[in-house]
Amino acid sequence: DAKTTQPPSMDCAEGRAANLPCNHSTISGNEYVYWYRQIHSQGPQYIIHGLKNNETNEMASLIITEDRKSSTLILPHATLRDTAVYYCIVRVHISGTGTASKLTFGTGTRLQVTL
Amino acid sequence: NAGVTQTPKFRVLKTGQSMTLLCAQDMNHEYMYWYRQDPGMGLRLIHYSVGEGTTAKGEVPDGYNVSRLKKQNFLLGLESAAPSQTSVYFCASKSGTDTQYFGPGTRLTVL
């Protein structure tokens, strides 16, 4: 399974953009990059995903390099409520199961947003 | 919609006791998953199900059994609990190529 590497922690001032990097150099051509976050031991919350194009939604933007070996999650205006552990995940299809897939979580990046 | 719910929220067991964790989803999702999360670590997949009546092993299946008798429910059983199974358990579900939606978790302590 493709592995991801993230910095263990980052700080960001409230109101500034938070840029969270992720390395996934062994990703295969049809594997998606997903980002989830986990706030204080709650269930993980979906943020965004992409294959090769940059993506944006109401929560964040996802920038994927052309070679797909790394990506960056951007929270454009971080708030205190964005303090969480952010997981970058490569979604792997489970062969022989139709559309079933699995998410392999690493240890993530702990983002601390400060005043 | 309630989404994904888990019962119970907390439980304390003694070594050797058994229990069943219930996951329920009201989104008519085909796929359901059970994960565990230990302190400072990401989630690890225990078992999953691609449809009613089917189950399969994930990364860390030993010591657990599962059943998916109804599409909306996915049960995780511990036949003889061990301290190493102290963890937070998360259930998730999804449909097709959609994203996985997670429940709030069950915090289990085995003494």
Side-chain angles (χ1 to χ4, degrees):
Chain A
D1 293 353
K3 233 181 141 175
T4 61
T5 304
Q6 299 176 254
S9 63
M10 292 183 65
D11 291 331
C12 179
E14 190 176 35
R16 305 297 290 267
N19 297 285
L20 289 85
C22 179
N23 186 298
H24 32 78
S25 56
T26 59
I27 194 170
S28 297
N30 61 349
E31 291 175 338
Y32 282 76
V33 178
Y34 275 70
W35 284 83
Y36 278 77
R37 72 180 183 184
Q38 190 173 26
I39 297 173
H40 193 53
S41 299
Q42 296 175 17
Q45 176 189 23
Y46 166 78
I47 301 172
I48 199 168
H49 73 280
L51 182 63
K52 53 184 177 182
N53 296 324
N54 297 338
E55 302 287 345
T56 295
N57 63 21
E58 64 279 2
M59 287 182 72
S61 295
L62 174 60
I63 309 297
I64 303 175
T65 58
E66 197 168 334
D67 63 7
R68 303 211 326 120
K69 292 186 177 181
S70 65
S71 61
T72 301
L73 177 75
I74 301 171
L75 307 177
H77 305 287
T79 71
L80 296 177
R81 285 178 293 184
D82 293 322
T83 292
V85 178
Y86 287 77
Y87 294 100
C88 169
I89 300 159
V90 172
R91 189 190 77 179
V92 176
H93 175 65
I94 302 172
S95 60
T97 63
T99 54
S101 59
K102 61 178 181 176
L103 304 175
T104 301
F105 286 76
T107 52
T109 296
R110 182 171 298 277
L111 175 68
Q112 180 69 51
V113 181
T114 57
L115 291 171
Chain B
N1 283 358
V4 180
T5 58
Q6 293 183 231
T7 310
K9 288 186 170 52
F10 303 94
R11 185 74 186 267
V12 178
L13 289 179
K14 294 182 180 177
T15 297
Q17 287 185 316
S18 64
M19 78 161 293
T20 301
L21 282 67
L22 170 64
C23 175
Q25 51 92 5
D26 60 1
M27 298 174 282
N28 200 35
H29 284 171
E30 284 296 323
Y31 308 121
M32 297 187 74
Y33 305 79
W34 273 109
Y35 295 85
R36 63 176 286 174
Q37 184 174 32
D38 299 316
M41 297 180 65
L43 281 68
R44 291 184 292 168
L45 184 63
I46 305 172
H47 286 278
Y48 63 96
S49 167
V50 300
E52 183 179 323
T54 72
T55 64
K57 294 179 180 179
E59 298 173 69
V60 288
D62 294 343
Y64 305 95
N65 56 73
V66 287
S67 64
R68 184 101 181 267
L69 299 178
K70 293 182 178 180
K71 187 177 184 179
Q72 63 267 34
N73 295 338
F74 195 27
L75 278 64
L76 178 71
L78 287 73
E79 287 186 352
S80 179
S84 61
Q85 294 177 303
T86 293
S87 190
V88 181
Y89 292 84
F90 290 101
C91 175
S93 72
K94 83 177 189 84
S95 179
T97 56
D98 199 3
T99 62
Q100 288 188 27
Y101 294 90
F102 285 82
T106 294
R107 190 173 296 275
L108 176 67
T109 301
V110 183
L111 302 175

